[in-house]
Coordinates of all heavy atoms in Angstrom, one line a residue:
G351 N -2.6 -3.1 -5.9 CA -1.2 -3.9 -6.0 C -1.4 -5.1 -5.1 O -2.1 -5.2 -4.1
S352 N -0.5 -6.1 -5.4 CA -0.5 -7.3 -4.7 C 0.7 -7.7 -3.9 O 0.9 -8.7 -3.3 CB -0.8 -8.5 -5.6 OG 0.2 -8.6 -6.7
Y353 N 1.7 -6.8 -3.9 CA 3.0 -7.1 -3.3 C 2.8 -7.5 -1.8 O 3.5 -8.5 -1.4 CB 3.9 -5.8 -3.4 CG 5.2 -6.0 -2.7 CD1 6.3 -6.6 -3.4 CD2 5.4 -5.6 -1.4 CE1 7.5 -6.8 -2.8 CE2 6.7 -5.7 -0.8 CZ 7.7 -6.3 -1.6 OH 8.9 -6.6 -0.9
T354 N 2.1 -6.8 -1.0 CA 2.0 -7.1 0.4 C 1.4 -8.5 0.6 O 2.0 -9.3 1.4 CB 1.1 -6.1 1.1 OG1 1.7 -4.8 1.0 CG2 0.9 -6.4 2.6
R355 N 0.5 -8.9 -0.2 CA -0.1 -10.2 -0.1 C 0.8 -11.3 -0.5 O 0.9 -12.4 0.0 CB -1.4 -10.3 -0.9 CG -2.6 -9.6 -0.2 CD -3.8 -9.4 -1.1 NE -3.7 -8.4 -2.1 CZ -4.6 -8.2 -3.1 NH1 -5.6 -9.0 -3.2 NH2 -4.4 -7.2 -4.0
V356 N 1.5 -11.0 -1.6 CA 2.5 -12.0 -2.1 C 3.7 -12.1 -1.1 O 4.1 -13.3 -0.8 CB 3.1 -11.6 -3.4 CG1 4.1 -12.6 -3.9 CG2 2.0 -11.6 -4.5
S357 N 4.1 -11.1 -0.5 CA 5.2 -11.1 0.5 C 4.7 -11.9 1.7 O 5.5 -12.7 2.3 CB 5.6 -9.7 1.0 OG 6.1 -9.0 -0.2
K358 N 3.4 -11.8 2.1 CA 3.0 -12.6 3.2 C 3.0 -14.1 2.9 O 3.2 -14.9 3.7 CB 1.6 -12.1 3.6 CG 1.5 -10.8 4.3 CD 0.1 -10.4 4.7 CE 0.1 -9.1 5.4 NZ -1.3 -8.6 5.8
A359 N 2.6 -14.4 1.7 CA 2.6 -15.8 1.2 C 4.0 -16.4 1.3 O 4.3 -17.6 1.8 CB 2.0 -15.9 -0.2
I360 N 5.0 -15.6 0.8 CA 6.4 -16.1 0.9 C 6.9 -16.2 2.4 O 7.5 -17.2 2.7 CB 7.3 -15.1 0.2 CG1 7.0 -15.1 -1.3 CG2 8.8 -15.4 0.4 CD1 7.8 -14.0 -2.2
A361 N 6.4 -15.3 3.2 CA 6.8 -15.4 4.6 C 6.2 -16.6 5.3 O 6.8 -17.3 6.1 CB 6.3 -14.1 5.3
R362 N 4.9 -16.9 4.9 CA 4.2 -18.1 5.4 C 5.0 -19.4 5.1 O 5.1 -20.2 5.8 CB 2.8 -18.1 4.9 CG 1.9 -19.3 5.4 CD 0.5 -19.2 5.0 NE -0.1 -18.0 5.5 CZ -0.6 -17.0 4.8 NH1 -0.4 -17.0 3.4 NH2 -1.2 -16.0 5.3
L363 N 5.4 -19.4 3.8 CA 6.2 -20.6 3.3 C 7.4 -20.7 4.0 O 7.8 -21.8 4.6 CB 6.4 -20.5 1.8 CG 6.8 -21.7 1.1 CD1 5.7 -22.8 1.2 CD2 7.1 -21.4 -0.4
R364 N 8.2 -19.7 4.2 CA 9.5 -19.6 4.9 C 9.4 -19.9 6.4 O 10.4 -20.3 6.9 CB 10.2 -18.3 4.6 CG 10.5 -18.1 3.1 CD 11.3 -16.8 3.0 NE 12.6 -16.8 3.7 CZ 13.5 -15.7 3.8 NH1 13.1 -14.6 3.3 NH2 14.6 -15.9 4.4
A365 N 8.3 -19.6 7.0 CA 8.1 -19.9 8.4 C 8.0 -21.3 8.7 O 8.1 -21.6 9.9 CB 6.9 -19.0 9.0
R366 N 7.8 -22.1 7.7 CA 7.6 -23.6 8.0 C 8.8 -24.4 7.6 O 9.1 -24.5 6.4 CB 6.3 -24.0 7.4 CG 5.0 -23.4 7.9 CD 3.9 -24.0 7.3 NE 3.8 -25.5 7.4 CZ 2.7 -26.2 7.1 NH1 1.5 -25.6 6.7 NH2 2.8 -27.5 7.2
P367 N 9.6 -24.9 8.5 CA 10.7 -25.8 8.2 C 10.4 -27.0 7.4 O 11.2 -27.3 6.5 CB 11.3 -26.2 9.5 CG 10.8 -25.2 10.5 CD 9.4 -24.7 10.0
D368 N 9.2 -27.4 7.5 CA 8.8 -28.6 6.7 C 8.4 -28.2 5.2 O 8.4 -29.0 4.3 CB 7.6 -29.3 7.3 CG 6.4 -28.4 7.5 OD1 6.5 -27.2 7.4 OD2 5.3 -29.0 7.8
A369 N 8.2 -26.8 5.0 CA 7.8 -26.4 3.6 C 9.0 -25.8 2.9 O 9.0 -25.8 1.7 CB 6.7 -25.4 3.7
M370 N 10.0 -25.4 3.6 CA 11.1 -24.7 3.0 C 11.9 -25.5 1.8 O 12.2 -25.0 0.9 CB 12.1 -24.2 4.0 CG 11.9 -22.8 4.5 SD 11.8 -21.6 3.2 CE 13.5 -21.5 2.6
P371 N 12.0 -26.9 2.1 CA 12.6 -27.7 1.0 C 11.8 -27.6 -0.4 O 12.3 -27.9 -1.4 CB 12.6 -29.1 1.5 CG 12.6 -28.8 3.0 CD 11.8 -27.7 3.2
L372 N 10.5 -27.1 -0.3 CA 9.7 -27.1 -1.5 C 9.9 -25.7 -2.2 O 9.5 -25.7 -3.3 CB 8.2 -27.3 -1.1 CG 7.8 -28.5 -0.3 CD1 6.3 -28.5 -0.1 CD2 8.2 -29.8 -1.2
F373 N 10.4 -24.8 -1.6 CA 10.5 -23.4 -2.1 C 11.5 -23.4 -3.2 O 12.8 -23.3 -2.9 CB 10.8 -22.4 -1.0 CG 10.6 -20.9 -1.3 CD1 9.9 -20.6 -2.6 CD2 11.1 -19.9 -0.5 CE1 9.7 -19.3 -2.9 CE2 10.8 -18.6 -0.9 CZ 10.2 -18.3 -2.0
A374 N 11.2 -23.6 -4.4 CA 12.1 -23.7 -5.5 C 12.6 -22.4 -6.1 O 13.8 -22.2 -6.4 CB 11.4 -24.5 -6.7
G375 N 11.7 -21.3 -6.1 CA 12.3 -20.1 -6.7 C 11.2 -19.0 -6.7 O 10.0 -19.2 -6.4
V376 N 11.6 -17.8 -7.1 CA 10.8 -16.8 -7.4 C 11.0 -16.4 -8.9 O 12.0 -16.5 -9.5 CB 11.0 -15.5 -6.6 CG1 10.6 -15.8 -5.1 CG2 12.5 -15.1 -6.6
L377 N 9.8 -15.9 -9.5 CA 9.8 -15.6 -11.0 C 9.4 -14.1 -11.1 O 8.4 -13.7 -10.6 CB 8.8 -16.5 -11.6 CG 8.5 -16.2 -13.1 CD1 9.8 -16.5 -13.9 CD2 7.3 -17.0 -13.7
A378 N 10.3 -13.3 -11.8 CA 10.1 -11.9 -12.0 C 10.0 -11.6 -13.5 O 10.8 -12.1 -14.3 CB 11.2 -11.2 -11.3
V379 N 9.1 -10.8 -13.8 CA 9.0 -10.2 -15.2 C 9.7 -8.8 -15.2 O 9.4 -7.9 -14.3 CB 7.7 -10.1 -15.7 CG1 7.6 -9.4 -17.1 CG2 7.0 -11.4 -15.7
I380 N 10.6 -8.6 -16.1 CA 11.5 -7.4 -16.1 C 10.7 -6.1 -16.6 O 10.0 -6.2 -17.5 CB 12.7 -7.7 -17.0 CG1 13.6 -8.7 -16.6 CG2 13.5 -6.3 -17.3 CD1 14.7 -9.2 -17.6
D381 N 10.9 -5.1 -15.8 CA 10.6 -3.7 -16.3 C 11.9 -3.1 -16.6 O 12.7 -2.8 -15.6 CB 9.8 -3.0 -15.2 CG 9.5 -1.5 -15.6 OD1 10.1 -1.0 -16.6 OD2 8.7 -0.8 -14.8
P382 N 12.4 -2.8 -17.8 CA 13.7 -2.3 -18.1 C 14.0 -0.9 -17.5 O 15.1 -0.5 -17.6 CB 13.8 -2.4 -19.6 CG 12.4 -2.3 -20.1 CD 11.5 -3.0 -19.0
R383 N 13.0 -0.2 -17.1 CA 13.1 1.1 -16.5 C 13.6 1.1 -15.1 O 14.0 2.2 -14.5 CB 11.8 1.9 -16.6 CG 11.2 1.9 -18.0 CD 9.8 2.5 -17.9 NE 9.0 1.7 -17.0 CZ 7.8 2.0 -16.7 NH1 7.1 3.0 -17.2 NH2 7.1 1.3 -15.8
T384 N 13.6 -0.1 -14.4 CA 14.0 -0.1 -13.0 C 15.5 -0.4 -12.9 O 16.2 -0.6 -13.8 CB 13.3 -1.3 -12.3 OG1 13.6 -2.5 -13.1 CG2 11.7 -1.1 -12.4
D385 N 15.9 -0.3 -11.5 CA 17.3 -0.5 -11.2 C 17.5 -2.0 -11.1 O 16.9 -2.6 -10.1 CB 17.6 0.3 -9.9 CG 19.1 0.0 -9.4 OD1 19.8 -0.7 -10.0 OD2 19.3 0.5 -8.4
P386 N 18.3 -2.7 -11.9 CA 18.4 -4.1 -11.8 C 19.1 -4.6 -10.4 O 18.7 -5.7 -9.9 CB 19.3 -4.5 -13.0 CG 20.0 -3.3 -13.4 CD 19.0 -2.2 -13.1
A387 N 20.0 -3.7 -9.9 CA 20.5 -4.2 -8.6 C 19.5 -4.1 -7.5 O 19.6 -5.0 -6.6 CB 21.7 -3.2 -8.3
A388 N 18.6 -3.1 -7.6 CA 17.6 -3.1 -6.5 C 16.6 -4.3 -6.7 O 16.2 -4.9 -5.7 CB 16.8 -1.8 -6.6
V389 N 16.2 -4.6 -7.9 CA 15.4 -5.8 -8.2 C 16.1 -7.0 -7.7 O 15.5 -7.9 -7.0 CB 15.0 -5.8 -9.6 CG1 14.3 -7.2 -9.9 CG2 14.1 -4.6 -10.0
Y390 N 17.4 -7.2 -8.1 CA 18.1 -8.4 -7.6 C 18.1 -8.5 -6.1 O 17.8 -9.6 -5.5 CB 19.6 -8.3 -8.1 CG 20.4 -9.5 -7.6 CD1 20.3 -10.7 -8.1 CD2 21.2 -9.2 -6.5 CE1 21.1 -11.7 -7.7 CE2 22.0 -10.3 -6.0 CZ 22.0 -11.5 -6.6 OH 22.8 -12.5 -6.1
A391 N 18.4 -7.4 -5.4 CA 18.3 -7.4 -3.9 C 17.0 -7.8 -3.3 O 17.0 -8.6 -2.4 CB 18.8 -6.1 -3.4
S392 N 16.0 -7.3 -4.0 CA 14.6 -7.6 -3.5 C 14.3 -9.2 -3.7 O 13.7 -9.8 -2.8 CB 13.6 -6.8 -4.2 OG 12.3 -7.1 -3.8
L393 N 14.7 -9.6 -4.8 CA 14.3 -11.1 -5.2 C 15.2 -11.9 -4.3 O 14.7 -12.9 -3.8 CB 14.7 -11.3 -6.7 CG 13.7 -10.6 -7.7 CD1 14.2 -10.8 -9.1 CD2 12.2 -10.9 -7.4
K394 N 16.4 -11.6 -4.0 CA 17.2 -12.4 -3.2 C 16.6 -12.4 -1.8 O 16.7 -13.5 -1.0 CB 18.7 -11.9 -3.1 CG 19.6 -12.8 -2.2 CD 21.0 -12.2 -2.1 CE 21.8 -13.1 -1.0 NZ 23.2 -12.6 -1.0
A395 N 16.2 -11.3 -1.3 CA 15.6 -11.2 0.0 C 14.4 -12.1 0.2 O 14.0 -12.4 1.4 CB 15.2 -9.8 0.3
A396 N 13.8 -12.5 -0.9 CA 12.6 -13.5 -0.8 C 13.0 -14.9 -0.2 O 12.2 -15.6 0.3 CB 12.0 -13.6 -2.1
G397 N 14.4 -15.1 -0.3 CA 14.8 -16.4 0.4 C 14.8 -17.6 -0.4 O 15.0 -18.7 0.2
A398 N 14.4 -17.5 -1.7 CA 14.4 -18.7 -2.5 C 15.8 -19.1 -3.0 O 16.6 -18.2 -3.1 CB 13.5 -18.4 -3.7

């Protein structure tokens, strides 16, 4: 799995005030078996 490595990349980007204006968004592919509210909360927590 790549979640930990991707999360570190997002944290690295967010840690730099000079880079944060570039952070346009996160892109997620839906697994319809999951809880959409939990996915929404996780994506929002990415800070994009």
Side-chain angles (χ1 to χ4, degrees):
S352 59
Y353 177 83
T354 299
R355 286 171 283 175
V356 175
S357 296
K358 287 180 178 178
I360 292 173
R362 182 176 296 113
L363 194 65
R364 293 183 63 186
R366 294 186 52 167
D368 56 347
M370 270 304 292
L372 304 178
F373 193 12
V376 291
L377 174 66
V379 177
I380 294 169
D381 178 349
R383 306 168 304 175
T384 59
D385 176 1
V389 171
Y390 174 80
S392 177
L393 296 177
K394 179 183 177 180

